[in-house]
Amino acid sequence: MGTVTLGVSIAVPEPYGSSLQELRAGFGDAAAHGIPTHVTLVPPTEVDADRLPEIRVHLAEVAAAGRPFVMRLAGTGTFRPLSPVVFVQVVEGGSVCTRLQGQVRDPEGPLSRELSFPYHPHVTVAHGISEEAMDLAFSTLADYAAEWVCSGIALYEQGSDGVWRKLREYPFGNGASGGASAVPAQLGSTTDNSAAAAAGEATVRRS
């Protein structure tokens, strides 16, 4: 069946997601419109396509054990000079993100992988563009602030065109929504967002 490139993240919901995506594009980041605004839990990872059912079960179980939490963004940071990235900082909810990414990357699970850098939750707003443009992103969003209740995680696949599209959302706990739609719309995305589907996946492994 070949391989697929997957990622797991917490989406930045509307209206924040699209506005940050547009700002990222405005700074000259050509990848902006192919990457819905997010906090990464698992970075791009190539896996065998036939492992997708197992991965979906695993994510449903991780989400079922979680609970909605407040996510708050404020101000900017950068990974330069180690990595050409400017980001909006996660100032509340970061410890939950850290715990979730550890659970998703469980060494015994289907998404086990090593990271190139220590995990640091953030929202990228500029990557791999000129130093001047990254300086502009850093200063433009220095006073940025957003807050919402995070109600789940999502699985994405990167297409051959480089665009990341959502495969499914996995709501925390009993699947009750904690607020705004979890994932901004993405061109060409086909998804199954039902809480019942996610709950059914978790049942497969427990049965």
Side-chain angles (χ1 to χ4, degrees):
M1 292 183 64
T3 63
V4 291
T5 300
L6 303 178
V8 181
S9 67
I10 292 172
V12 176
E14 303 294 21
Y16 313 119
S18 291
S19 64
L20 285 174
Q21 192 176 43
E22 290 301 321
L23 283 165
R24 180 172 179 174
F27 297 137
D29 191 331
H33 287 302
I35 307 174
T37 310
H38 66 282
V39 176
T40 297
L41 296 179
V42 176
T45 301
E46 187 174 334
V47 301
D48 291 335
D50 59 7
R51 299 203 74 184
L52 267 170
E54 181 185 0
I55 288 168
R56 287 172 170 147
V57 169
H58 174 59
L59 294 177
E61 290 186 337
V62 170
R67 294 294 180 270
F69 64 96
V70 173
M71 182 84 81
R72 187 162 64 89
L73 311 179
T76 48
T78 182
F79 293 134
R80 294 182 289 174
L82 292 177
S83 182
V85 172
V86 170
F87 57 86
V88 172
Q89 299 187 76
V90 175
V91 296
E92 185 174 353
S95 61
V96 183
C97 294
T98 300
R99 183 176 74 249
L100 283 169
Q101 65 88 29
Q103 292 171 337
V104 173
R105 292 191 305 106
D106 184 341
E108 303 301 320
L111 284 172
S112 173
R113 59 157 293 170
E114 296 295 323
L115 300 180
S116 300
F117 300 99
Y119 181 74
H120 181 87
H122 64 281
V123 177
T124 297
V125 291
H127 181 205
I129 56 179
S130 71
E131 289 295 321
E132 294 77 12
M134 285 194 285
D135 288 342
L136 178 62
F138 189 90
S139 60
T140 298
L141 291 165
D143 296 324
Y144 185 82
E147 182 176 317
W148 70 94
V149 175
C150 177
S151 57
I153 61 179
L155 174 66
Y156 291 84
E157 179 181 352
Q158 186 179 40
S160 58
D161 56 1
V163 175
W164 286 92
R165 296 181 176 91
K166 182 183 61 175
L167 296 181
R168 180 168 291 174
E169 292 179 55
Y170 296 87
F172 293 136
N174 61 10
S177 174
S181 175
V183 182
Q186 184 70 25
L187 182 64
S189 178
T190 56
T191 65
D192 176 0
N193 296 327
S194 69
E201 288 174 348
T203 302
V204 171
R205 178 171 289 183
R206 286 194 292 265
S207 61

